[in-house]
Amino acid sequence: MASPPSFLSLLLLLNFVITAATISTTNSSTAMLRTYPGKHIVRAKSNPRCESWKFAVEVNAAGSWKSVPGTCIAFVRDYFNSDRYLSDSRTVVNYSLSFANSVKFNRKDKGRNAWVFDVDETLLSNLPYYRVNGYGSEAYNNTAFNEWVNKGLAPPLPMSLRLYKKLKHLGFKIFLLTGRGESQRNVTQRNLLEAGYFGWDKLIFRGAADEGKKAAVYKSEKRGELVKEGYIIQGSLGDQWSDLIGFALPNQSFKLPNPMYYIP
Amino acid sequence: MASPPSFLSLLLLLNFVITAATISTTNSSTAMLRTYPGKHIVRAKSNPRCESWKFAVEVNAAGSWKSVPGTCIAFVRDYFNSDRYLSDSRTVVNYSLSFANSVKFNRKDKGRNAWVFDVDETLLSNLPYYRVNGYGSEAYNNTAFNEWVNKGLAPPLPMSLRLYKKLKHLGFKIFLLTGRGESQRNVTQRNLLEAGYFGWDKLIFRGAADEGKKAAVYKSEKRGELVKEGYIIQGSLGDQWSDLIGFALPNQSFKLPNPMYYIP
């Protein structure tokens, strides 16, 4: 005979009903978004030329680049579908965490220690889009990309989610600073929540006044506002060089890999 | 019966004799230094964990690190003794060159366009030293390293030498900005000349007033002086993050790889 439903199982059922209700209104997904990569990953093949192209891109020697070179499309595809991408991200997140653990939470600083996260290719992965759009080898298509964004189906990057939760636990104020526009606020918020990100302090979008600004300028200005409000930006995580340069910089910035696209 | 010595083996013998002769005179340094790497290079083996460690180091996520992790010594050795190091350097130099070619030499700016080079692991390679000292896995030994520097036998990095010559040809003013101390001026000058570098505009060393300064601060201050003197620092080439950050930054900085040591 089945045991009578416990309070816990009722709670779980209630949670399921609420989740299902939430999801039925998001017009698409049926459960929490599955974490990247979702399927079995393969061992990456090394290709010295493309390894060097990736190196140049990651240290910003390539400057403002438009698309993945034709000879490196397979390399980039293998990189993202192998243990390489996860391994690089894991290593960067481990360093981020050991830095975060070293940050002192004095009484005076309480509630002022902050961390800034980028969104695309940092908290959320657009790989499902890029998989069917040439892995960055095709010119950026604003219409097609926004259609994808508006679906709100980008999965979380597992290492970033882990860092996010630990930072919350440590007591950091969490600021999400994205290059996405205000018009994408609702879908982005919903996507983040479904991906497992909860309880951020502010989610900052490009407003009308930020249009046409270079990403590094827009992000510096927004960080500057946080500093003016009294926050101490201890760390940041982002995949672009525009997350690393400019002013009002964090005490330490951490760069995730992205050999797929460059944001000027 | 052994076959008679072929023309090839005679050639090899001749090469050996010349090499031996060269080496016997390099103490007094009469011959041009041989370009890195000097011998046949092998294909690097990929190791996802160490690849990720290298990635983290190159994007400065690892912060101030002390030595190559024990599990990555073989990886670093293979990296430097394979086509990987040369390939990474070549790619960065190619990007540097295409940027340099885009710099306009107006009549007004004539003689003001400048390029800053770091020295160690940028113009000169200390690999002969690190080869017999654990490839960065051992703690930095100031005495032993200075003994090596004072020999003045560091070979040029071939890609950097190529860039140096092209920049001179394009009309850039060339400034060499090194973390070495004034006491090493003579030996460094001689080493650079023997390595094939000629006609720089200024070779800047750490003076007494710079002692104890972080590399990024010292280098920023020295670049600041160049800017005050009227130079437009268009580009720079260096292997350390302290060449990339701070103030009086070049319009574009180019980072060479160095998964062997970090200068704070």
Side-chain angles (χ1 to χ4, degrees):
Chain A
M1 194 189 89
S3 59
S6 68
F7 180 67
L8 181 69
S9 54
L10 274 173
L11 212 63
L12 284 172
L13 183 68
L14 184 68
N15 180 45
F16 175 79
V17 171
I18 290 172
T19 308
T22 311
I23 282 158
S24 69
T25 60
T26 60
N27 84 42
S28 41
S29 45
T30 49
M32 280 279 280
L33 289 168
R34 284 175 69 196
T35 294
Y36 164 88
K39 37 181 171 170
H40 189 68
I41 52 171
V42 295
R43 186 70 179 271
K45 276 167 265 169
S46 188
N47 171 330
R49 285 205 157 198
C50 295
E51 289 284 358
S52 294
W53 171 78
K54 175 176 177 278
F55 170 77
V57 155
E58 295 295 8
V59 299
N60 206 25
S64 185
W65 53 281
K66 291 269 189 302
S67 58
V68 173
T71 48
C72 293
I73 304 172
F75 170 85
V76 170
R77 181 197 63 210
D78 291 350
Y79 174 79
F80 279 103
N81 293 308
S82 76
D83 47 357
R84 286 288 298 279
Y85 183 44
L86 286 172
S87 173
D88 283 2
S89 312
R90 183 183 301 115
T91 304
V92 170
V93 162
N94 285 343
Y95 281 114
S96 308
L97 261 175
S98 79
F99 168 74
N101 279 316
S102 78
V103 171
K104 296 234 170 16
F105 282 77
N106 302 322
R107 215 206 245 178
K108 213 183 79 193
D109 296 339
K110 227 189 157 179
R112 295 173 65 214
N113 283 329
W115 197 281
V116 172
F117 282 99
D118 169 51
V119 172
D120 291 295
E121 264 54 66
T122 299
L123 296 184
L124 301 178
S125 169
N126 295 302
L127 213 58
Y129 171 83
Y130 284 102
R131 262 200 191 109
V132 291
N133 286 279
Y135 288 96
S137 62
E138 297 167 15
Y140 176 67
N141 181 331
N142 196 46
T143 314
F145 186 71
N146 283 335
E147 261 171 36
W148 153 254
V149 165
N150 289 332
K151 285 180 185 164
L153 293 176
L157 281 164
M159 309 309 165
S160 304
L161 184 55
R162 192 176 131 238
L163 177 64
Y164 183 98
K165 287 178 177 171
K166 294 238 181 176
L167 292 176
K168 289 264 326 156
H169 183 76
L170 286 169
F172 283 91
K173 296 283 173 186
I174 308 283
F175 297 99
L176 314 189
L177 179 49
T178 176
R180 293 185 179 188
E182 274 292 349
S183 64
Q184 291 172 324
R185 181 177 285 274
N186 287 346
V187 71
T188 303
Q189 225 161 260
R190 206 178 62 210
N191 195 155
L192 285 164
L193 289 168
E194 282 170 20
Y197 298 98
F198 299 97
W200 57 77
D201 292 89
K202 213 184 274 185
L203 173 48
I204 305 165
F205 291 85
R206 262 183 197 263
D210 306 312
E211 263 176 50
K213 282 180 189 164
K214 281 194 173 186
V217 174
Y218 153 68
K219 294 205 165 181
S220 295
E221 288 175 356
K222 293 298 177 185
R223 281 194 307 266
E225 289 172 19
L226 295 175
V227 171
K228 261 193 196 157
E229 289 169 30
Y231 293 105
I232 304 159
I233 309 180
Q234 298 285 0
S236 74
L237 186 72
D239 65 296
Q240 294 288 321
W241 263 71
S242 48
D243 296 311
L244 300 179
I245 56 173
F247 53 90
L249 290 171
N251 286 336
Q252 192 133 7
S253 300
F254 296 90
K255 192 193 178 302
L256 288 172
N258 188 354
M260 208 159 53
Y261 62 82
Y262 178 90
I263 295 175
Chain B
M1 194 191 88
S3 61
S6 67
F7 180 68
L8 181 69
S9 54
L10 276 172
L11 212 65
L12 284 172
L13 183 69
L14 184 69
N15 179 47
F16 175 78
V17 171
I18 290 172
T19 307
T22 310
I23 285 163
S24 71
T25 58
T26 43
N27 256 335
S28 52
S29 49
T30 48
M32 281 279 281
L33 290 168
R34 284 177 67 197
T35 295
Y36 164 88
K39 36 182 171 168
H40 188 69
I41 51 171
V42 296
R43 184 69 178 270
K45 276 167 263 169
S46 188
N47 171 329
R49 284 203 160 200
C50 295
E51 289 284 358
S52 294
W53 172 78
K54 175 176 178 277
F55 170 76
V57 155
E58 295 295 8
V59 299
N60 206 24
S64 184
W65 53 281
K66 291 268 187 304
S67 58
V68 173
T71 49
C72 293
I73 303 172
F75 170 85
V76 169
R77 181 196 65 210
D78 291 352
Y79 174 79
F80 279 103
N81 292 308
S82 76
D83 47 358
R84 286 287 299 278
Y85 183 44
L86 285 173
S87 173
D88 283 3
S89 312
R90 183 182 302 116
T91 304
V92 170
V93 161
N94 286 344
Y95 281 115
S96 309
L97 261 175
S98 80
F99 168 73
N101 279 318
S102 77
V103 172
K104 296 234 168 20
F105 282 76
N106 302 322
R107 216 205 244 178
K108 213 184 78 192
D109 297 339
K110 226 188 160 181
R112 296 174 64 213
N113 283 329
W115 195 282
V116 173
F117 281 98
D118 169 51
V119 173
D120 290 296
E121 265 53 66
T122 298
L123 296 184
L124 301 177
S125 170
N126 295 301
L127 214 58
Y129 171 83
Y130 284 101
R131 264 203 188 107
V132 291
N133 286 278
Y135 289 96
S137 62
E138 296 167 14
Y140 175 67
N141 181 332
N142 195 47
T143 313
F145 186 70
N146 283 335
E147 262 171 34
W148 152 253
V149 164
N150 290 331
K151 285 181 185 161
L153 292 175
L157 280 164
M159 309 308 164
S160 304
L161 185 55
R162 194 176 131 237
L163 177 64
Y164 183 98
K165 287 178 176 171
K166 294 238 180 177
L167 292 177
K168 289 264 325 153
H169 183 75
L170 286 169
F172 282 91
K173 296 284 173 187
I174 307 284
F175 297 98
L176 315 189
L177 179 49
T178 175
R180 293 185 178 188
E182 275 292 348
S183 64
Q184 291 173 325
R185 180 177 286 277
N186 287 345
V187 70
T188 303
Q189 225 161 257
R190 206 180 63 212
N191 195 154
L192 284 164
L193 289 168
E194 281 169 20
Y197 299 99
F198 299 97
W200 56 78
D201 292 89
K202 213 183 274 184
L203 172 49
I204 306 163
F205 290 86
R206 261 181 197 265
D210 306 311
E211 263 176 51
K213 281 179 189 164
K214 281 196 172 183
V217 174
Y218 153 68
K219 293 205 165 183
S220 295
E221 288 174 356
K222 293 299 177 186
R223 282 193 308 265
E225 289 172 19
L226 294 176
V227 171
K228 261 193 197 156
E229 289 169 30
Y231 293 106
I232 304 160
I233 309 180
Q234 297 285 0
S236 74
L237 186 72
D239 66 296
Q240 294 289 320
W241 263 71
S242 49
D243 295 312
L244 300 179
I245 56 173
F247 53 91
L249 289 170
N251 286 336
Q252 191 133 8
S253 301
F254 296 90
K255 192 194 178 301
L256 288 173
N258 189 353
M260 207 156 55
Y261 62 82
Y262 178 91
I263 295 175

